[in-house]
């Protein structure tokens, strides 16, 4: 097996902790306050024009460029990897004097069968390969099989693993079972970083979302992620705020930093900037960098590139000039 590319993190990994049922059971969420904060954020928060180009570039560097289709082949994965290594058109990079900065996306995310293709394409680029695993997207396969899938993706060279939790454990409030599941997944990952997808559109309440976030972090998750991108409801702001507050609570109590990844439902560059502003306000500057913040929306890259072009030249190209590889 090859040694996987793993992003250079500025902080120690979250090792997890003993399961603390009292902490989980004590969780309360003020739903009206969460809704109010969510509704006002996008209305009032924007990034000043002078700084927009820099923040658009930062948003690009936080993207997990993803293809999770039944008809994925080696060739479309290769094209995506080409885009991952050079996400911004070379003429725009030159005009911003950023040739030496080597701007790439944060990772390329694929199904386990396509990890080998992505690893071969990205060799030497420093861009890690992320693989979904553990019965993605439903998580309804036997536990031994889910763990084996993680081990297989890691041995193929995946440096990050995006697993989906068993929603049943949350719905039934079986928090110990969820903790044990995440612990087993973390162990199977070894050095590869673990992102736990809550599939929040399928969880009953905001309080359940907070508790599930907390239990995943106790179990050793490096990131908590909203959605698979396959559910009808993706990364809504109220749900994300609850997850972000859980990250803050966990950090304040344990000193361990856990990343956050909203996935699905976003399309526009202005949304990316508003998300980065939210992370800055709620968690601070460390959570505006790719080792603690990711977007799981590949299609946003097209608009990020168009807005960069407009900021530099004052003009927009048609979308077909901003290909995805």
């Amino acid at each position: 097996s090859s040694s996987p590319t793993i992003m250079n993190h500025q902080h120690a990994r979250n090792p997890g902790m003993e399961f603390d049922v009292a902490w989980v059971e004590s969780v309360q969420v003020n739903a009206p306050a969460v809704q109010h904060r969510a509704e006002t954020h996008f209305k009032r928060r924007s990034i000043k024009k002078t700084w927009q180009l820099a923040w658009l570039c930062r948003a690009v560097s936080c993207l997990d460029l993803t293809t999770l289709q039944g008809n994925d082949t080696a060739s479309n994965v290769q094209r995506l990897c080409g885009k991952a290594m050079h996400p911004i058109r070379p003429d725009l990079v030159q005009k911003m004097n950023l040739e030496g900065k080597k701007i790439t996306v944060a990772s390329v995310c694929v199904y386990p069968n396509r990890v080998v293709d992505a690893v071969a394409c990205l060799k030497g680029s420093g861009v890690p390969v992320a693989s979904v695993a553990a019965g993605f997207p439903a998580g309804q396969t036997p536990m031994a099989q889910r763990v084996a899938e993680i081990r297989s993706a890691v041995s193929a060279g995946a440096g990050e693993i995006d697993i989906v939790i068993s929603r049943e454990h949350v719905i039934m409030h079986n928090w110990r079972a969820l903790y044990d599941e995440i612990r087993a997944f973390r162990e199977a990952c070894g050095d590869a970083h673990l992102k736990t997808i809550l599939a929040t559109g399928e969880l009953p309440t905001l309080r359940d979302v907070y508790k599930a976030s907390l239990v995943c972090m106790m179990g050793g998750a490096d990131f908590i992620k909203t959605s698979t991108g396959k559910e009808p409801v993706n990364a809504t702001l109220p749900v994300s705020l609850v997850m972000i507050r859980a990250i803050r609570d966990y950090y304040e109590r344990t000193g361990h930093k856990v990343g956050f990844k909203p996935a699905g439902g976003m399309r526009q560059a202005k949304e990316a900037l508003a998300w980065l502003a939210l992370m800055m306000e709620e968690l601070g500057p460390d959570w505006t960098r790719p080792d603690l913040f990711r977007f799981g929306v590949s299609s946003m890259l097209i608009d990020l590139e168009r807005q960069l072009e407009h900021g530099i030249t004052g003009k927009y190209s048609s979308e077909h000039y901003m290909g995805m590889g």
Side-chain angles (χ1 to χ4, degrees), residues 102-125:
K102 201 169 172 270
I103 295 172
T104 68
V105 300
S107 81
V108 169
C109 183
V110 293
Y111 273 118
N113 267 7
R114 302 264 69 100
V115 169
V116 171
D117 304 327
V119 167
C121 287
L122 294 169
K123 192 169 183 182
S125 69

mmCIF file with all atom_site columns, all heavy atoms in Angstrom, residues 102-125:
data_model
loop_
_atom_site.group_PDB
_atom_site.id
_atom_site.type_symbol
_atom_site.label_atom_id
_atom_site.label_alt_id
_atom_site.label_comp_id
_atom_site.label_asym_id
_atom_site.label_entity_id
_atom_site.label_seq_id
_atom_site.pdbx_PDB_ins_code
_atom_site.Cartn_x
_atom_site.Cartn_y
_atom_site.Cartn_z
_atom_site.occupancy
_atom_site.B_iso_or_equiv
_atom_site.pdbx_formal_charge
_atom_site.auth_seq_id
_atom_site.auth_comp_id
_atom_site.auth_asym_id
_atom_site.auth_atom_id
_atom_site.pdbx_PDB_model_num
ATOM 1   N N   . LYS A 1 102 ? 0.866   28.404 -5.473  1.00 0.00 ? 102 LYS A N   1
ATOM 2   C CA  . LYS A 1 102 ? 0.387   27.042 -5.725  1.00 0.00 ? 102 LYS A CA  1
ATOM 3   C C   . LYS A 1 102 ? -0.997  26.805 -5.082  1.00 0.00 ? 102 LYS A C   1
ATOM 4   O O   . LYS A 1 102 ? -1.165  25.967 -4.190  1.00 0.00 ? 102 LYS A O   1
ATOM 5   C CB  . LYS A 1 102 ? 1.405   26.034 -5.181  1.00 0.00 ? 102 LYS A CB  1
ATOM 6   C CG  . LYS A 1 102 ? 1.294   24.641 -5.817  1.00 0.00 ? 102 LYS A CG  1
ATOM 7   C CD  . LYS A 1 102 ? 2.496   23.777 -5.442  1.00 0.00 ? 102 LYS A CD  1
ATOM 8   C CE  . LYS A 1 102 ? 2.312   22.349 -5.908  1.00 0.00 ? 102 LYS A CE  1
ATOM 9   N NZ  . LYS A 1 102 ? 1.662   21.464 -4.959  1.00 0.00 ? 102 LYS A NZ  1
ATOM 10  N N   . ILE A 1 103 ? -1.975  27.582 -5.565  1.00 0.00 ? 103 ILE A N   1
ATOM 11  C CA  . ILE A 1 103 ? -3.336  27.423 -5.043  1.00 0.00 ? 103 ILE A CA  1
ATOM 12  C C   . ILE A 1 103 ? -3.940  26.128 -5.584  1.00 0.00 ? 103 ILE A C   1
ATOM 13  O O   . ILE A 1 103 ? -3.975  25.899 -6.794  1.00 0.00 ? 103 ILE A O   1
ATOM 14  C CB  . ILE A 1 103 ? -4.227  28.623 -5.447  1.00 0.00 ? 103 ILE A CB  1
ATOM 15  C CG1 . ILE A 1 103 ? -3.718  29.898 -4.789  1.00 0.00 ? 103 ILE A CG1 1
ATOM 16  C CG2 . ILE A 1 103 ? -5.687  28.375 -5.055  1.00 0.00 ? 103 ILE A CG2 1
ATOM 17  C CD1 . ILE A 1 103 ? -4.400  31.160 -5.261  1.00 0.00 ? 103 ILE A CD1 1
ATOM 18  N N   . THR A 1 104 ? -4.390  25.268 -4.670  1.00 0.00 ? 104 THR A N   1
ATOM 19  C CA  . THR A 1 104 ? -5.103  24.047 -5.047  1.00 0.00 ? 104 THR A CA  1
ATOM 20  C C   . THR A 1 104 ? -6.388  23.985 -4.219  1.00 0.00 ? 104 THR A C   1
ATOM 21  O O   . THR A 1 104 ? -6.575  24.773 -3.289  1.00 0.00 ? 104 THR A O   1
ATOM 22  C CB  . THR A 1 104 ? -4.277  22.776 -4.730  1.00 0.00 ? 104 THR A CB  1
ATOM 23  O OG1 . THR A 1 104 ? -4.164  22.642 -3.304  1.00 0.00 ? 104 THR A OG1 1
ATOM 24  C CG2 . THR A 1 104 ? -2.890  22.830 -5.368  1.00 0.00 ? 104 THR A CG2 1
ATOM 25  N N   . VAL A 1 105 ? -7.262  23.032 -4.550  1.00 0.00 ? 105 VAL A N   1
ATOM 26  C CA  . VAL A 1 105 ? -8.396  22.773 -3.657  1.00 0.00 ? 105 VAL A CA  1
ATOM 27  C C   . VAL A 1 105 ? -7.890  21.955 -2.463  1.00 0.00 ? 105 VAL A C   1
ATOM 28  O O   . VAL A 1 105 ? -6.723  21.565 -2.414  1.00 0.00 ? 105 VAL A O   1
ATOM 29  C CB  . VAL A 1 105 ? -9.539  22.032 -4.393  1.00 0.00 ? 105 VAL A CB  1
ATOM 30  C CG1 . VAL A 1 105 ? -10.056 22.854 -5.558  1.00 0.00 ? 105 VAL A CG1 1
ATOM 31  C CG2 . VAL A 1 105 ? -9.130  20.638 -4.834  1.00 0.00 ? 105 VAL A CG2 1
ATOM 32  N N   . ALA A 1 106 ? -8.787  21.688 -1.496  1.00 0.00 ? 106 ALA A N   1
ATOM 33  C CA  . ALA A 1 106 ? -8.367  20.991 -0.272  1.00 0.00 ? 106 ALA A CA  1
ATOM 34  C C   . ALA A 1 106 ? -8.190  19.492 -0.486  1.00 0.00 ? 106 ALA A C   1
ATOM 35  O O   . ALA A 1 106 ? -7.287  18.875 0.081   1.00 0.00 ? 106 ALA A O   1
ATOM 36  C CB  . ALA A 1 106 ? -9.386  21.230 0.838   1.00 0.00 ? 106 ALA A CB  1
ATOM 37  N N   . SER A 1 107 ? -9.071  18.893 -1.296  1.00 0.00 ? 107 SER A N   1
ATOM 38  C CA  . SER A 1 107 ? -8.958  17.450 -1.566  1.00 0.00 ? 107 SER A CA  1
ATOM 39  C C   . SER A 1 107 ? -9.809  17.103 -2.775  1.00 0.00 ? 107 SER A C   1
ATOM 40  O O   . SER A 1 107 ? -10.616 17.907 -3.239  1.00 0.00 ? 107 SER A O   1
ATOM 41  C CB  . SER A 1 107 ? -9.418  16.615 -0.358  1.00 0.00 ? 107 SER A CB  1
ATOM 42  O OG  . SER A 1 107 ? -10.831 16.510 -0.345  1.00 0.00 ? 107 SER A OG  1
ATOM 43  N N   . VAL A 1 108 ? -9.629  15.884 -3.257  1.00 0.00 ? 108 VAL A N   1
ATOM 44  C CA  . VAL A 1 108 ? -10.536 15.305 -4.258  1.00 0.00 ? 108 VAL A CA  1
ATOM 45  C C   . VAL A 1 108 ? -11.240 14.144 -3.574  1.00 0.00 ? 108 VAL A C   1
ATOM 46  O O   . VAL A 1 108 ? -10.594 13.264 -3.005  1.00 0.00 ? 108 VAL A O   1
ATOM 47  C CB  . VAL A 1 108 ? -9.763  14.818 -5.502  1.00 0.00 ? 108 VAL A CB  1
ATOM 48  C CG1 . VAL A 1 108 ? -10.673 13.991 -6.414  1.00 0.00 ? 108 VAL A CG1 1
ATOM 49  C CG2 . VAL A 1 108 ? -9.198  16.007 -6.276  1.00 0.00 ? 108 VAL A CG2 1
ATOM 50  N N   . CYS A 1 109 ? -12.584 14.161 -3.615  1.00 0.00 ? 109 CYS A N   1
ATOM 51  C CA  . CYS A 1 109 ? -13.371 13.155 -2.889  1.00 0.00 ? 109 CYS A CA  1
ATOM 52  C C   . CYS A 1 109 ? -14.086 12.238 -3.885  1.00 0.00 ? 109 CYS A C   1
ATOM 53  O O   . CYS A 1 109 ? -14.796 12.715 -4.778  1.00 0.00 ? 109 CYS A O   1
ATOM 54  C CB  . CYS A 1 109 ? -14.376 13.857 -1.980  1.00 0.00 ? 109 CYS A CB  1
ATOM 55  S SG  . CYS A 1 109 ? -15.342 12.710 -0.968  1.00 0.00 ? 109 CYS A SG  1
ATOM 56  N N   . VAL A 1 110 ? -13.885 10.929 -3.717  1.00 0.00 ? 110 VAL A N   1
ATOM 57  C CA  . VAL A 1 110 ? -14.416 9.932  -4.655  1.00 0.00 ? 110 VAL A CA  1
ATOM 58  C C   . VAL A 1 110 ? -14.931 8.698  -3.889  1.00 0.00 ? 110 VAL A C   1
ATOM 59  O O   . VAL A 1 110 ? -14.740 8.586  -2.684  1.00 0.00 ? 110 VAL A O   1
ATOM 60  C CB  . VAL A 1 110 ? -13.315 9.470  -5.651  1.00 0.00 ? 110 VAL A CB  1
ATOM 61  C CG1 . VAL A 1 110 ? -12.914 10.597 -6.587  1.00 0.00 ? 110 VAL A CG1 1
ATOM 62  C CG2 . VAL A 1 110 ? -12.081 8.927  -4.906  1.00 0.00 ? 110 VAL A CG2 1
ATOM 63  N N   . TYR A 1 111 ? -15.555 7.785  -4.636  1.00 0.00 ? 111 TYR A N   1
ATOM 64  C CA  . TYR A 1 111 ? -15.914 6.481  -4.076  1.00 0.00 ? 111 TYR A CA  1
ATOM 65  C C   . TYR A 1 111 ? -14.653 5.615  -3.918  1.00 0.00 ? 111 TYR A C   1
ATOM 66  O O   . TYR A 1 111 ? -13.660 5.819  -4.634  1.00 0.00 ? 111 TYR A O   1
ATOM 67  C CB  . TYR A 1 111 ? -16.905 5.766  -4.997  1.00 0.00 ? 111 TYR A CB  1
ATOM 68  C CG  . TYR A 1 111 ? -18.354 6.107  -4.736  1.00 0.00 ? 111 TYR A CG  1
ATOM 69  C CD1 . TYR A 1 111 ? -19.129 6.726  -5.708  1.00 0.00 ? 111 TYR A CD1 1
ATOM 70  C CD2 . TYR A 1 111 ? -18.953 5.784  -3.519  1.00 0.00 ? 111 TYR A CD2 1
ATOM 71  C CE1 . TYR A 1 111 ? -20.476 7.030  -5.481  1.00 0.00 ? 111 TYR A CE1 1
ATOM 72  C CE2 . TYR A 1 111 ? -20.289 6.092  -3.275  1.00 0.00 ? 111 TYR A CE2 1
ATOM 73  C CZ  . TYR A 1 111 ? -21.050 6.701  -4.261  1.00 0.00 ? 111 TYR A CZ  1
ATOM 74  O OH  . TYR A 1 111 ? -22.360 6.997  -4.016  1.00 0.00 ? 111 TYR A OH  1
ATOM 75  N N   . PRO A 1 112 ? -14.694 4.605  -3.021  1.00 0.00 ? 112 PRO A N   1
ATOM 76  C CA  . PRO A 1 112 ? -13.501 3.773  -2.791  1.00 0.00 ? 112 PRO A CA  1
ATOM 77  C C   . PRO A 1 112 ? -12.896 3.169  -4.066  1.00 0.00 ? 112 PRO A C   1
ATOM 78  O O   . PRO A 1 112 ? -11.679 3.101  -4.204  1.00 0.00 ? 112 PRO A O   1
ATOM 79  C CB  . PRO A 1 112 ? -14.016 2.676  -1.848  1.00 0.00 ? 112 PRO A CB  1
ATOM 80  C CG  . PRO A 1 112 ? -15.148 3.313  -1.111  1.00 0.00 ? 112 PRO A CG  1
ATOM 81  C CD  . PRO A 1 112 ? -15.794 4.253  -2.092  1.00 0.00 ? 112 PRO A CD  1
ATOM 82  N N   . ASN A 1 113 ? -13.739 2.769  -4.999  1.00 0.00 ? 113 ASN A N   1
ATOM 83  C CA  . ASN A 1 113 ? -13.239 2.159  -6.237  1.00 0.00 ? 113 ASN A CA  1
ATOM 84  C C   . ASN A 1 113 ? -12.396 3.101  -7.088  1.00 0.00 ? 113 ASN A C   1
ATOM 85  O O   . ASN A 1 113 ? -11.648 2.641  -7.951  1.00 0.00 ? 113 ASN A O   1
ATOM 86  C CB  . ASN A 1 113 ? -14.416 1.675  -7.104  1.00 0.00 ? 113 ASN A CB  1
ATOM 87  C CG  . ASN A 1 113 ? -14.751 0.227  -6.835  1.00 0.00 ? 113 ASN A CG  1
ATOM 88  O OD1 . ASN A 1 113 ? -14.195 -0.364 -5.916  1.00 0.00 ? 113 ASN A OD1 1
ATOM 89  N ND2 . ASN A 1 113 ? -15.640 -0.335 -7.626  1.00 0.00 ? 113 ASN A ND2 1
ATOM 90  N N   . ARG A 1 114 ? -12.560 4.386  -6.882  1.00 0.00 ? 114 ARG A N   1
ATOM 91  C CA  . ARG A 1 114 ? -11.866 5.374  -7.719  1.00 0.00 ? 114 ARG A CA  1
ATOM 92  C C   . ARG A 1 114 ? -10.662 5.995  -7.000  1.00 0.00 ? 114 ARG A C   1
ATOM 93  O O   . ARG A 1 114 ? -9.999  6.871  -7.548  1.00 0.00 ? 114 ARG A O   1
ATOM 94  C CB  . ARG A 1 114 ? -12.835 6.486  -8.149  1.00 0.00 ? 114 ARG A CB  1
ATOM 95  C CG  . ARG A 1 114 ? -14.046 5.973  -8.899  1.00 0.00 ? 114 ARG A CG  1
ATOM 96  C CD  . ARG A 1 114 ? -13.873 6.043  -10.411 1.00 0.00 ? 114 ARG A CD  1
ATOM 97  N NE  . ARG A 1 114 ? -12.900 5.144  -10.968 1.00 0.00 ? 114 ARG A NE  1
ATOM 98  C CZ  . ARG A 1 114 ? -13.196 3.968  -11.557 1.00 0.00 ? 114 ARG A CZ  1
ATOM 99  N NH1 . ARG A 1 114 ? -14.438 3.542  -11.606 1.00 0.00 ? 114 ARG A NH1 1
ATOM 100 N NH2 . ARG A 1 114 ? -12.241 3.248  -12.085 1.00 0.00 ? 114 ARG A NH2 1
ATOM 101 N N   . VAL A 1 115 ? -10.366 5.540  -5.766  1.00 0.00 ? 115 VAL A N   1
ATOM 102 C CA  . VAL A 1 115 ? -9.248  6.110  -5.000  1.00 0.00 ? 115 VAL A CA  1
ATOM 103 C C   . VAL A 1 115 ? -7.926  5.923  -5.745  1.00 0.00 ? 115 VAL A C   1
ATOM 104 O O   . VAL A 1 115 ? -7.124  6.852  -5.859  1.00 0.00 ? 115 VAL A O   1
ATOM 105 C CB  . VAL A 1 115 ? -9.171  5.499  -3.574  1.00 0.00 ? 115 VAL A CB  1
ATOM 106 C CG1 . VAL A 1 115 ? -7.867  5.888  -2.878  1.00 0.00 ? 115 VAL A CG1 1
ATOM 107 C CG2 . VAL A 1 115 ? -10.366 5.962  -2.730  1.00 0.00 ? 115 VAL A CG2 1
ATOM 108 N N   . VAL A 1 116 ? -7.703  4.725  -6.286  1.00 0.00 ? 116 VAL A N   1
ATOM 109 C CA  . VAL A 1 116 ? -6.435  4.428  -6.972  1.00 0.00 ? 116 VAL A CA  1
ATOM 110 C C   . VAL A 1 116 ? -6.214  5.403  -8.134  1.00 0.00 ? 116 VAL A C   1
ATOM 111 O O   . VAL A 1 116 ? -5.107  5.921  -8.317  1.00 0.00 ? 116 VAL A O   1
ATOM 112 C CB  . VAL A 1 116 ? -6.436  2.962  -7.465  1.00 0.00 ? 116 VAL A CB  1
ATOM 113 C CG1 . VAL A 1 116 ? -5.238  2.696  -8.360  1.00 0.00 ? 116 VAL A CG1 1
ATOM 114 C CG2 . VAL A 1 116 ? -6.397  2.011  -6.279  1.00 0.00 ? 116 VAL A CG2 1
ATOM 115 N N   . ASP A 1 117 ? -7.276  5.681  -8.906  1.00 0.00 ? 117 ASP A N   1
ATOM 116 C CA  . ASP A 1 117 ? -7.171  6.616  -10.041 1.00 0.00 ? 117 ASP A CA  1
ATOM 117 C C   . ASP A 1 117 ? -6.761  8.006  -9.547  1.00 0.00 ? 117 ASP A C   1
ATOM 118 O O   . ASP A 1 117 ? -5.876  8.650  -10.109 1.00 0.00 ? 117 ASP A O   1
ATOM 119 C CB  . ASP A 1 117 ? -8.509  6.752  -10.782 1.00 0.00 ? 117 ASP A CB  1
ATOM 120 C CG  . ASP A 1 117 ? -9.052  5.414  -11.266 1.00 0.00 ? 117 ASP A CG  1
ATOM 121 O OD1 . ASP A 1 117 ? -8.226  4.549  -11.607 1.00 0.00 ? 117 ASP A OD1 1
ATOM 122 O OD2 . ASP A 1 117 ? -10.286 5.242  -11.300 1.00 0.00 ? 117 ASP A OD2 1
ATOM 123 N N   . ALA A 1 118 ? -7.450  8.472  -8.495  1.00 0.00 ? 118 ALA A N   1
ATOM 124 C CA  . ALA A 1 118 ? -7.193  9.827  -7.981  1.00 0.00 ? 118 ALA A CA  1
ATOM 125 C C   . ALA A 1 118 ? -5.792  9.932  -7.385  1.00 0.00 ? 118 ALA A C   1
ATOM 126 O O   . ALA A 1 118 ? -5.094  10.930 -7.606  1.00 0.00 ? 118 ALA A O   1
ATOM 127 C CB  . ALA A 1 118 ? -8.248  10.200 -6.941  1.00 0.00 ? 118 ALA A CB  1
ATOM 128 N N   . VAL A 1 119 ? -5.367  8.899  -6.653  1.00 0.00 ? 119 VAL A N   1
ATOM 129 C CA  . VAL A 1 119 ? -4.027  8.910  -6.047  1.00 0.00 ? 119 VAL A CA  1
ATOM 130 C C   . VAL A 1 119 ? -2.955  9.012  -7.129  1.00 0.00 ? 119 VAL A C   1
ATOM 131 O O   . VAL A 1 119 ? -1.998  9.789  -7.019  1.00 0.00 ? 119 VAL A O   1
ATOM 132 C CB  . VAL A 1 119 ? -3.808  7.652  -5.172  1.00 0.00 ? 119 VAL A CB  1
ATOM 133 C CG1 . VAL A 1 119 ? -2.342  7.478  -4.802  1.00 0.00 ? 119 VAL A CG1 1
ATOM 134 C CG2 . VAL A 1 119 ? -4.650  7.739  -3.898  1.00 0.00 ? 119 VAL A CG2 1
ATOM 135 N N   . ALA A 1 120 ? -3.124  8.254  -8.209  1.00 0.00 ? 120 ALA A N   1
ATOM 136 C CA  . ALA A 1 120 ? -2.141  8.270  -9.305  1.00 0.00 ? 120 ALA A CA  1
ATOM 137 C C   . ALA A 1 120 ? -2.067  9.660  -9.937  1.00 0.00 ? 120 ALA A C   1
ATOM 138 O O   . ALA A 1 120 ? -0.972  10.169 -10.219 1.00 0.00 ? 120 ALA A O   1
ATOM 139 C CB  . ALA A 1 120 ? -2.518  7.226  -10.356 1.00 0.00 ? 120 ALA A CB  1
ATOM 140 N N   . CYS A 1 121 ? -3.217  10.283 -10.141 1.00 0.00 ? 121 CYS A N   1
ATOM 141 C CA  . CYS A 1 121 ? -3.256  11.610 -10.779 1.00 0.00 ? 121 CYS A CA  1
ATOM 142 C C   . CYS A 1 121 ? -2.658  12.698 -9.904  1.00 0.00 ? 121 CYS A C   1
ATOM 143 O O   . CYS A 1 121 ? -2.053  13.642 -10.405 1.00 0.00 ? 121 CYS A O   1
ATOM 144 C CB  . CYS A 1 121 ? -4.697  12.022 -11.071 1.00 0.00 ? 121 CYS A CB  1
ATOM 145 S SG  . CYS A 1 121 ? -5.399  11.134 -12.408 1.00 0.00 ? 121 CYS A SG  1
ATOM 146 N N   . LEU A 1 122 ? -2.867  12.594 -8.608  1.00 0.00 ? 122 LEU A N   1
ATOM 147 C CA  . LEU A 1 122 ? -2.485  13.680 -7.694  1.00 0.00 ? 122 LEU A CA  1
ATOM 148 C C   . LEU A 1 122 ? -1.100  13.486 -7.076  1.00 0.00 ? 122 LEU A C   1
ATOM 149 O O   . LEU A 1 122 ? -0.664  14.303 -6.270  1.00 0.00 ? 122 LEU A O   1
ATOM 150 C CB  . LEU A 1 122 ? -3.527  13.798 -6.568  1.00 0.00 ? 122 LEU A CB  1
ATOM 151 C CG  . LEU A 1 122 ? -4.925  14.238 -7.019  1.00 0.00 ? 122 LEU A CG  1
ATOM 152 C CD1 . LEU A 1 122 ? -5.927  14.062 -5.894  1.00 0.00 ? 122 LEU A CD1 1
ATOM 153 C CD2 . LEU A 1 122 ? -4.915  15.685 -7.507  1.00 0.00 ? 122 LEU A CD2 1
ATOM 154 N N   . LYS A 1 123 ? -0.406  12.432 -7.484  1.00 0.00 ? 123 LYS A N   1
ATOM 155 C CA  . LYS A 1 123 ? 0.900   12.115 -6.899  1.00 0.00 ? 123 LYS A CA  1
ATOM 156 C C   . LYS A 1 123 ? 1.830   13.331 -6.973  1.00 0.00 ? 123 LYS A C   1
ATOM 157 O O   . LYS A 1 123 ? 1.986   13.950 -8.018  1.00 0.00 ? 123 LYS A O   1
ATOM 158 C CB  . LYS A 1 123 ? 1.528   10.940 -7.655  1.00 0.00 ? 123 LYS A CB  1
ATOM 159 C CG  . LYS A 1 123 ? 2.717   10.362 -6.944  1.00 0.00 ? 123 LYS A CG  1
ATOM 160 C CD  . LYS A 1 123 ? 3.172   9.055  -7.558  1.00 0.00 ? 123 LYS A CD  1
ATOM 161 C CE  . LYS A 1 123 ? 4.322   8.505  -6.734  1.00 0.00 ? 123 LYS A CE  1
ATOM 162 N NZ  . LYS A 1 123 ? 4.867   7.288  -7.252  1.00 0.00 ? 123 LYS A NZ  1
ATOM 163 N N   . GLY A 1 124 ? 2.419   13.680 -5.826  1.00 0.00 ? 124 GLY A N   1
ATOM 164 C CA  . GLY A 1 124 ? 3.375   14.784 -5.788  1.00 0.00 ? 124 GLY A CA  1
ATOM 165 C C   . GLY A 1 124 ? 2.752   16.168 -5.737  1.00 0.00 ? 124 GLY A C   1
ATOM 166 O O   . GLY A 1 124 ? 3.452   17.166 -5.595  1.00 0.00 ? 124 GLY A O   1
ATOM 167 N N   . SER A 1 125 ? 1.427   16.251 -5.807  1.00 0.00 ? 125 SER A N   1
ATOM 168 C CA  . SER A 1 125 ? 0.760   17.571 -5.842  1.00 0.00 ? 125 SER A CA  1
ATOM 169 C C   . SER A 1 125 ? 0.500   18.125 -4.444  1.00 0.00 ? 125 SER A C   1
ATOM 170 O O   . SER A 1 125 ? 0.250   19.322 -4.275  1.00 0.00 ? 125 SER A O   1
ATOM 171 C CB  . SER A 1 125 ? -0.583  17.464 -6.574  1.00 0.00 ? 125 SER A CB  1
ATOM 172 O OG  . SER A 1 125 ? -1.504  16.704 -5.789  1.00 0.00 ? 125 SER A OG  1
#
